Amino acid sequence: MLDVILLLSLGMFIISITMSIYRIIVGPTIPDRMLALDVVSYALTVVMGIIAVISGSPYLIVISFSLALWFFIGALYVARYMEGEQIGD
Amino acid sequence: MNGWRGSIFGVLFVVLMSSILIYAFLGYPELGFVRPLGEFYLFNTYNFENQDWWSASPNAVTGLLWDYRGYDTLYETMVFYVGIAAVAMFFEGHAKLKKTGGMTVIVRATARLVFVFTLTSAFAITIFSIKTPGGGFQGGSIMAIAYIAIIVALSKGFLPEMNIDLETAHIAKIVGLALITGLTIVPVIYSLASGSVAYAMQNQPKAWAPFGYPTFLGLTSLSGGLIIPIQLGEMVHVGMGFTIMFLLLTMREKED
Amino acid sequence: MIEMIELVIDLLLAFCVVLTAAIVYTKDLLLAIVLAGAEGVLVATVFYLLLAPDIALVQVAAGVGISTAFFIVGLRKIGRREE
């Protein structure tokens, strides 16, 4: 039962990642792509957690924390650039 | 180089590079040749029965760091040190750490929270690297990301409030490198003083070289010898190095 | 399960090829940096699925987080459009 649910949610997240990557490649403006990249990162975080649960190994979940924390900062860089200010002021 | 000449050059380049790569892979020994090496590491790095070669660390990737490929890490760290020194030479003088507004209030508050979380995860990845995947370089990179987030979201002027300055960052970096180098030399000094055999970069005792760092932390949990101080030194070194580089690169070229 | 993970790896690598082509052909350097970040995240996932979590940590932290920051700082100095 739990395995079926985990596999189903894994498939749904992979579909959502695929659609977001379409938005990254096609999306007309930079903020669109940045938002889509945000969605991809968080979905990948969840996918990593699901795979760690399926494979029953806690060592596989370490990276998902740093991936989730990183992306806030990635959006920050681009926002700071598009504001047109000097970075670091 | 315009039009078809550029395309011909590109095609020639791709054909040349791929033929070189195919030649290299054809000359590569077959898979069975590499396998005994992996079996050696699997058999020896974490083997309670045969403690002649073991590294006393459940995470064999990190355990290899000290007894097996310690010089690799030491010289990687020194290359990094020289790189930072070169960047600092190009941008001589000091970056002005002026405190300005930064971004909006929401972003600033969130950046403070994310800073704390990121720094915590950096320390966790470094300290628990004897059990879970990770290590000094990974932790240091994540620590640098925490400080870069503060620089981007708040401003450079907030770093002196957290006691991070160009001077203190340089000093912390040098202390990290000195920790690694000093712990490397300790077995040699021991062997010179006591007249027995010990190697540089020795962590666990061998049958013919009795020097060894403590194996167990407390009574039961394996400590991997001195893996944790080495990783902490490398974390401080790498994290402070990236922070200094970012500070120097965001300097204004002219005061305006 | 193994077949499914192999399928996911193939899918991610195909996306990486498309993203690389887009990075090469775009004239907007900020867009190139964003796409490179996306590709780095996907490559980190491939490393993770190949059971190398420590390499994936380096890829996420240094290859995506820090190099994106440095590229954007450099972009401020050289301008956004490529002629």
Side-chain angles (χ1 to χ4, degrees):
Chain A
M1 183 62 197
L2 188 64
D3 278 353
V4 175
I5 292 174
L6 286 176
L7 282 178
L8 269 181
S9 49
L10 191 62
M12 280 150 96
F13 271 109
I14 287 169
I15 292 170
S16 94
I17 288 171
T18 314
M19 294 196 290
S20 309
I21 288 175
Y22 173 80
R23 185 49 63 200
I24 288 178
I25 296 169
V26 173
T29 61
I30 299 270
D32 278 343
R33 298 173 207 254
M34 217 53 210
L35 210 55
L37 187 47
D38 219 344
V39 173
V40 167
S41 298
Y42 289 126
L44 280 178
T45 307
V46 179
V47 164
M48 285 172 185
I50 291 175
I51 289 178
V53 171
I54 287 177
S55 61
S57 143
Y59 304 121
L60 290 180
I61 208 161
V62 179
I63 169 182
S64 67
F65 298 138
S66 66
L67 187 61
L69 281 175
W70 170 70
F71 213 76
F72 167 71
I73 299 160
L76 214 60
Y77 300 151
V78 176
R80 197 65 201 248
Y81 182 85
M82 295 188 72
E83 269 187 352
E85 291 174 9
Q86 188 87 14
I87 291 170
D89 282 349
Chain B
M1 198 182 294
N2 49 2
W4 54 275
R5 283 190 208 164
S7 318
I8 287 178
F9 182 75
V11 169
L12 276 180
F13 182 75
V14 168
V15 168
L16 189 69
M17 283 308 290
S18 48
S19 49
I20 289 174
L21 281 178
I22 288 170
Y23 180 75
F25 276 107
L26 285 182
Y28 199 73
E30 63 230 73
L31 280 176
F33 179 76
V34 190
R35 192 148 291 177
L37 198 62
E39 280 172 358
F40 176 81
Y41 287 131
L42 267 183
F43 183 71
N44 286 306
T45 47
Y46 187 56
N47 190 349
F48 270 99
E49 316 287 322
N50 174 21
Q51 298 191 350
D52 275 351
W53 292 97
W54 81 325
S55 57
S57 153
N59 181 3
V61 178
T62 315
L64 289 177
L65 187 71
W66 194 224
D67 267 338
Y68 289 82
R69 36 160 284 236
Y71 280 104
D72 182 37
T73 302
L74 181 64
Y75 288 115
E76 264 171 19
T77 316
M78 287 173 78
V79 164
F80 193 77
Y81 180 80
V82 174
I84 303 283
V87 172
M89 269 168 64
F90 275 113
F91 296 89
E92 34 178 330
H94 294 291
K96 290 272 191 304
L97 302 180
K98 269 190 300 188
K99 187 171 166 184
T100 50
M103 301 181 83
T104 59
V105 180
I106 303 169
V107 177
R108 275 185 282 161
T110 319
R112 287 198 179 98
L113 273 179
V114 168
F115 171 77
V116 175
F117 288 148
T118 315
L119 209 57
T120 314
S121 94
F123 270 99
I125 285 173
T126 307
I127 289 174
F128 297 119
S129 66
I130 51 170
K131 292 210 171 97
T132 58
F137 194 85
Q138 286 92 328
S141 316
I142 295 171
M143 181 182 172
I145 288 182
Y147 283 113
I148 289 175
I150 286 291
I151 295 172
V152 172
L154 300 167
S155 68
K156 278 185 281 192
F158 269 79
L159 289 187
E161 283 189 6
M162 302 189 302
N163 296 321
I164 300 286
D165 206 345
L166 270 183
E167 299 277 326
T168 47
H170 272 294
I171 290 170
K173 194 161 69 79
I174 293 170
V175 165
L177 186 58
L179 187 66
I180 299 177
T181 321
L183 288 174
T184 307
I185 300 176
V186 165
V188 180
I189 294 171
Y190 170 82
S191 71
L192 283 180
S194 67
S196 64
V197 184
Y199 301 103
M201 290 270 169
Q202 185 176 350
N203 182 15
Q204 292 305 309
K206 308 282 181 285
W208 56 93
F211 180 85
Y213 286 115
T215 310
F216 287 96
L217 204 66
L219 285 178
T220 49
S221 67
L222 282 165
S223 74
L226 277 194
I227 295 284
I228 295 176
I230 292 298
Q231 304 279 25
L232 277 177
E234 181 153 1
M235 180 189 91
V236 171
H237 182 83
V238 171
M240 286 297 128
F242 277 129
T243 310
I244 289 170
M245 252 206 244
F246 195 78
L247 269 180
L248 289 176
L249 287 177
T250 52
M251 264 173 67
R252 284 168 187 272
E253 281 159 5
K254 287 175 198 148
E255 284 300 320
D256 49 7
Chain C
M1 195 62 216
I2 294 289
E3 289 80 12
M4 189 169 171
I5 291 209
E6 279 179 355
L7 187 70
V8 172
I9 289 176
D10 289 348
L11 196 68
L12 288 172
L13 289 177
F15 282 137
C16 283
V17 171
V18 176
L19 283 174
T20 310
I23 290 170
V24 171
Y25 282 108
T26 182
K27 295 285 182 196
D28 185 352
L29 293 179
L30 182 61
L31 176 60
I33 293 173
V34 172
L35 292 181
E39 190 183 343
V41 171
L42 298 187
V43 170
T45 316
V46 171
F47 284 142
Y48 171 84
L49 291 175
L50 292 172
L51 291 183
D54 44 344
I55 309 293
L57 266 174
V58 176
Q59 173 69 27
V60 166
V64 181
I66 292 176
S67 63
T68 308
F70 281 10
F71 285 155
I72 286 184
V73 169
L75 199 61
R76 175 60 69 194
K77 294 194 193 301
I78 66 171
R80 184 169 159 185
R81 290 276 162 188
E82 188 186 26
E83 295 307 324

